[in-house]
């Protein structure tokens, strides 16, 4: 199965540690195709613990489910200042995945 690299971007809120280092939050994942399971994730959060938390939260998620269940899980478990930025990044990644799936379906169909 081929692996794809997907990314989401969002402006960081002012007065956060991450904003002192970066202007935007970048969330990247690798996922196998066509299955859509996230194999790995990383982001530009300031702390290793935060990056590891997001990696563990996203790894294994099926992108075919869309962003809503993952955003809900994020809302239940992540209570940091970057929540809205992470939600935006997750939605962007799911949008990219959907576009890739539609393009692949057109090529094979």
């Amino acid at each position: 199965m081929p692996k794809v690299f997907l990314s989401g971007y969002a402006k960081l809120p002012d007065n956060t540690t991450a904003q002192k280092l970066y202007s935007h939050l970048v969330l990247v994942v690798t996922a196998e195709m066509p299955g859509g399971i996230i194999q790995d994730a990383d982001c530009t959060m300031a702390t290793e613990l935060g990056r590891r938390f997001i990696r563990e939260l996203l790894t294994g998620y099926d992108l075919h489910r869309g962003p809503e269940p993952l955003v809900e899980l994020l809302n239940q478990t992540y209570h940091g200042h970057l929540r809205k930025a992470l939600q935006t990044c997750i939605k962007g990644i799911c949008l990219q995945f959907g576009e890739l799936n539609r393009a692949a379906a057109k090529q094979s169909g």
Side-chain angles (χ1 to χ4, degrees):
M1 300 245 155
K3 190 184 294 188
V4 295
F5 182 90
L6 306 167
S7 59
Y9 301 87
K11 187 175 181 336
L12 286 166
D14 292 333
N15 300 318
T16 61
T17 304
Q19 193 266 336
K20 303 296 183 204
L21 300 170
Y22 312 104
S23 61
H24 288 79
L25 176 68
V26 180
L27 176 63
V28 295
V29 302
T30 56
E32 50 97 359
M33 291 295 282
I37 303 299
I38 294 176
Q39 296 176 335
D40 201 2
D42 200 2
C43 63
T44 56
M45 293 178 85
T47 65
E48 174 60 33
L49 181 60
R51 292 188 301 274
R52 189 171 55 239
F53 181 84
I54 296 303
R55 176 178 292 121
E56 291 172 1
L57 187 72
L58 272 62
T59 299
Y61 184 76
D62 182 353
L63 290 167
H64 290 288
R65 297 178 64 200
E68 292 82 12
L70 190 52
V71 167
E72 181 59 32
L73 180 60
L74 177 78
N75 290 341
Q76 292 171 1
T77 59
Y78 179 83
H79 300 281
H81 297 291
L82 304 183
R83 183 188 291 181
K84 285 189 182 216
L86 286 163
Q87 291 171 351
T88 299
C89 290
I90 288 168
K91 290 174 184 176
I93 286 169
C94 288
L95 182 66
Q96 281 183 343
F97 178 75
E99 290 169 358
L100 279 175
N101 263 350
R102 284 186 292 281
K106 281 184 182 180
Q107 286 180 348
S108 66

